[in-house]
Amino acid sequence: MHGLRADHNSGSSLGTSRWLEAIWEPSAKIHTLPGGLDMLDVNGDGDVRLVSTDLGSVNANSTKIRVYKGSDQITEHNMVDAPCGVAGFYTENGEPRSAVLAAGAGSSVYIFKNLRPFFKYCLPHLEAHPKEREIWHKAGLEEELNVLTLADDLDSLLKELGAAAISPRTLKFLSMDVNLRMSFAEQYRRIPLIKNNAVTALGVIRKDSWNDPACSCLIIGTENREILVLDPRAFTVMDKHLLKWPPVSFATTGLWAGDGRIMVVGRDGNIGAIRRGSPVKLWEKLEAPIVAISVLNGDGAAVAIMDGTLLGFSKKGIKVWSINVPGIILDMVSLPVPQSGLSLLAVSTAGYGVRIYDGKHHVDTIKTMEPVSAIKYGRMGQEERAMAMVTVSGGLCVKILKRTADFSIHNTIFSVTPNGGTKFVIPKKTRLFVEQTIRERSEAKKIHNTFQQGFLRLRLTIAKNALDLLTGCENTGLDPISLEANVLGLGPNYRIQILITNISDGLSDTGLFIVCRGENTEVNPRVVNLPLLPSGIPIPITIDATLINRISGKVQVLLCKKDKSKPLTFTNVILPAAEEEIEV
């Protein structure tokens, strides 16, 4: 084990080291990118391992999933395609042994359980362009294939549509040597043309519980501009959202079954948020490509972009602050510190080490010997606050945040006079109050309009509820009538017997009738007019009901009056599923 040299002298207030050096292994030979690290209890024994994707060196070109216990590699899995990232999650609430690992590569997501292959989810194939399908179909019908004509047609289509709209078969055919095209075309020309989708990003979001460990849903981003949310037990698609750009990274907050949100960034600089059952809400289109996105306190998000800018967004997508970070940003990760109520950011930069930010305030710096290409913060082994870092040359470094670490040096802002002397100190809460006041002054019209819209909606809701109450009071003056329904038969043909009883002292009103509404059921008759109902004498009515298919049905019986828009009373009748006929 080697020690990693760390220097925190980025200022007079940043001199005290807040990190313990745990591991420095320069010969680990891990070549990974942002999103390629995770920490997960893969064996369910309470000992969290570090999981990393390894893209391989330039010469080796062998991609793997590697699992580490401390600085020792305990297992590895070879991958057919280069993995775009890994994500660990649990399939059951309160069940540590249900931890699984997902790795996205090519057009598939590989699920590992107990460090063994468990399931493979394949993305559906895409439809190739009609013109391209027509060219290959025409080539498959010819008895003697003309390779030159096929190459010219496909080359013209490539220039017309671009490489993004062309299938891999065509691209490989056009990139081959002229002498090899004939054998390739003969092999594939009669095979139906398909276009494979590709996984671009992976993420997880809690499903319906805040307990630890909690069941989480797997999020998959595709090259076809889709976001798929998979069920954690059956690994089937729960929700599907369409975007206008390919997603490359996710950050999640909340519960997906409640008010959870998926914050997503695109390859071309778009950033937005998605809620369950709602389309994507575009926050902003940035001028430069995005490197990483992380969650901040208050359900906000921080975004690092390639031009060296770090941006902070509120949970509604409003840009609240922006700072310039020295050097090129390589990766970024959140550092939650629950003991002090902070949510810090660790930003890896080329030539300036790993810089720690509290919002837009720089609070610490870890200078490393080499630039860090990927960071992951969380529990590792038995330590709750470990930060694993992989350098660009393949070295592995792990640091542990001290329990006594104090990042409160920037909780107050010092107002400095031009000659360098301190004039006064503004507490953090006061500064937030002043910023909120300035915002209210600058956006007074917008805030007033929002208040008026909410006030008008409140008045409209109260008026609707008052109208419903008044209408209900009018209906209470009618003589009470009870409905009782019984189901006869074994199915699929049933008979519903309805007993209508006037439980008042006098005769019922005129103009009463019965309406039957069927779900997955054919009802005959649907409407039955009622005579005058004497007091205390049940009147039987028979209705025939037939199930449309072999699942259960439902019939809603409503008692209505001709001069009333709402039914006086109703009852629901459930028809059980018909039993299958058994041949003897």
Side-chain angles (χ1 to χ4, degrees):
M1 183 180 297
H2 300 74
L4 175 63
R5 177 178 58 86
D7 183 12
H8 306 280
N9 297 326
S10 60
S12 60
S13 59
L14 304 178
T16 303
S17 175
R18 301 173 175 87
W19 301 88
L20 298 175
E21 300 178 0
I23 298 172
W24 169 231
E25 189 62 48
S27 60
K29 296 182 180 180
I30 305 174
H31 303 279
T32 187
L33 296 174
L37 294 178
D38 204 353
M39 298 174 179
L40 187 66
D41 183 6
V42 291
N43 288 331
D45 55 0
D47 193 6
V48 179
R49 268 75 163 180
L50 176 66
V51 182
S52 172
T53 62
D54 185 7
L55 303 179
S57 60
V58 178
N59 298 327
N61 193 23
S62 60
T63 57
K64 301 177 181 179
I65 300 293
R66 305 170 70 174
V67 182
Y68 286 84
K69 180 178 181 180
S71 59
D72 300 326
Q73 178 179 322
I74 59 176
T75 186
E76 67 179 27
H77 295 276
N78 294 324
M79 303 293 291
V80 178
D81 298 314
C84 66
V86 292
F89 60 99
Y90 292 89
T91 59
E92 299 290 342
N93 290 324
E95 294 290 338
R97 294 186 181 275
S98 63
V100 298
L101 174 70
S107 60
S108 304
V109 177
Y110 300 89
I111 307 295
F112 297 88
K113 197 168 186 178
N114 296 326
L115 296 179
R116 297 178 180 178
F118 177 72
F119 185 79
K120 178 182 177 181
Y121 177 80
C122 299
L123 296 177
H125 294 299
L126 304 178
E127 290 289 338
H129 196 275
K131 293 184 179 179
E132 185 181 5
R133 288 205 311 268
E134 182 181 355
I135 294 174
W136 281 104
H137 179 70
K138 182 179 177 181
L141 297 178
E142 295 178 354
E143 295 182 0
E144 294 184 1
L145 177 63
N146 190 337
V147 180
L148 297 178
T149 303
L150 177 61
D152 292 340
D153 293 342
L154 293 177
D155 187 62
S156 302
L157 186 64
L158 175 62
K159 295 178 181 179
E160 177 185 353
L161 302 178
I166 301 299
S167 67
R169 181 196 296 183
T170 300
L171 295 177
K172 185 175 181 179
F173 173 77
L174 295 177
S175 63
M176 296 177 68
D177 186 79
V178 178
N179 299 325
L180 301 176
R181 288 180 177 179
M182 174 61 76
S183 59
F184 181 84
E186 286 290 348
Q187 182 180 359
Y188 290 102
R189 64 176 179 146
R190 291 185 174 87
I191 299 177
L193 181 64
I194 59 174
K195 184 179 178 182
N196 291 328
N197 204 347
V199 180
T200 58
L202 290 180
V204 294
I205 183 171
R206 289 176 180 259
K207 184 180 180 181
D208 52 12
S209 175
W210 288 108
N211 298 328
D212 288 323
C215 176
S216 300
C217 300
L218 179 64
I219 308 170
I220 303 176
T222 70
E223 190 67 34
N224 196 35
R225 305 173 182 180
E226 300 170 325
I227 292 181
L228 307 178
V229 182
L230 300 189
D231 181 82
R233 298 177 180 88
F235 300 110
T236 56
V237 178
M238 292 174 52
D239 298 281
K240 179 179 179 180
H241 297 270
L242 299 179
L243 306 179
K244 295 182 179 179
W245 66 86
V248 294
S249 184
F250 302 116
T252 61
T253 61
L255 303 179
W256 187 242
D259 59 347
R261 292 183 300 123
I262 301 175
M263 291 168 283
V264 53
V265 296
R267 187 177 296 128
D268 53 356
N270 288 311
I271 176 173
I274 296 175
R275 292 182 183 272
R276 188 174 188 181
S278 302
V280 61
K281 178 184 177 183
L282 180 63
W283 286 0
E284 190 171 343
K285 180 175 174 58
L286 304 178
E287 297 179 356
I290 298 175
V291 178
I293 181 172
S294 298
V295 178
L296 290 176
N297 276 340
D299 295 335
V303 177
I305 56 180
M306 286 188 177
D307 62 359
T309 305
L310 190 62
L311 306 176
F313 290 87
S314 68
K315 63 180 180 180
K316 294 185 178 180
I318 302 174
K319 187 191 297 183
V320 293
W321 51 265
S322 174
I323 59 173
N324 292 323
V325 178
I328 300 174
I329 299 178
L330 303 178
D331 195 7
M332 179 180 65
V333 70
S334 296
L335 305 182
V337 187
Q339 293 83 353
S340 57
L342 297 176
S343 181
L344 307 176
L345 294 172
V347 182
S348 171
T349 58
Y352 293 87
V354 179
R355 298 170 64 88
I356 311 299
Y357 288 87
D358 179 8
K360 62 180 180 180
H361 304 297
H362 176 218
V363 296
D364 200 3
T365 300
I366 303 175
K367 290 189 177 180
T368 58
M369 297 178 181
E370 300 172 350
V372 175
S373 61
I375 313 176
K376 183 64 180 180
Y377 177 82
R379 183 185 175 192
M380 183 174 176
Q382 300 298 327
E383 293 294 336
E384 295 289 342
R385 302 193 291 183
M387 184 166 66
M389 299 174 285
V390 175
T391 63
V392 293
S393 64
L396 174 62
C397 173
V398 178
K399 285 185 173 289
I400 301 172
L401 180 63
K402 292 181 180 178
R403 291 177 173 82
T404 58
D406 183 16
F407 293 95
S408 61
I409 58 173
H410 279 284
N411 281 352
T412 57
I413 297 180
F414 295 89
S415 177
V416 182
T417 57
N419 57 7
T422 302
K423 186 178 180 180
F424 57 88
V425 178
I426 302 177
K428 188 174 183 179
K429 291 185 177 180
T430 303
R431 174 170 52 83
L432 294 175
F433 174 77
V434 173
E435 292 178 354
Q436 178 67 16
T437 304
I438 295 174
R439 175 183 170 274
E440 291 177 355
R441 288 180 180 178
S442 60
E443 301 182 5
K445 184 177 179 180
K446 180 180 179 181
I447 295 174
H448 176 73
N449 291 338
T450 303
F451 171 77
Q452 290 295 331
Q453 291 175 1
F455 183 65
L456 291 176
R457 290 193 187 98
L458 177 62
R459 293 180 61 183
L460 179 61
T461 303
I462 294 174
K464 288 181 178 179
N465 293 337
L467 180 61
D468 292 340
L469 290 176
L470 292 175
T471 306
C473 291
E474 293 178 0
N475 292 336
T476 57
L478 297 172
D479 294 333
I481 299 174
S482 67
L483 293 178
E484 181 181 352
N486 297 316
V487 180
L488 306 177
L490 297 177
N493 299 321
Y494 294 95
R495 177 163 292 179
I496 303 175
Q497 187 177 22
I498 305 172
L499 294 179
I500 305 172
T501 307
N502 180 10
I503 59 176
S504 65
D505 295 335
L507 294 175
S508 66
D509 290 347
T510 59
L512 298 178
F513 61 96
I514 292 289
V515 176
C516 298
R517 297 176 179 173
E519 295 182 7
N520 191 39
T521 309
E522 293 182 358
V523 183
N524 184 33
R526 300 181 62 88
V527 179
V528 179
N529 293 318
L530 299 179
L532 288 175
L533 303 177
S535 176
I537 301 177
I539 304 298
I541 295 176
T542 302
I543 303 294
D544 293 329
T546 303
L547 294 178
I548 297 177
N549 47 44
R550 292 191 176 274
I551 64 175
S552 61
K554 177 182 177 183
V555 177
Q556 188 177 40
V557 182
L558 300 94
L559 176 62
C560 304
K561 195 173 185 298
K562 291 184 179 179
D563 57 349
K564 297 296 180 181
S565 60
K566 292 185 177 182
L568 306 182
T569 184
F570 69 92
T571 183
N572 293 321
V573 180
I574 303 299
L575 303 180
E579 298 182 359
E580 296 183 2
E581 297 181 359
I582 301 176
E583 296 182 359
V584 180

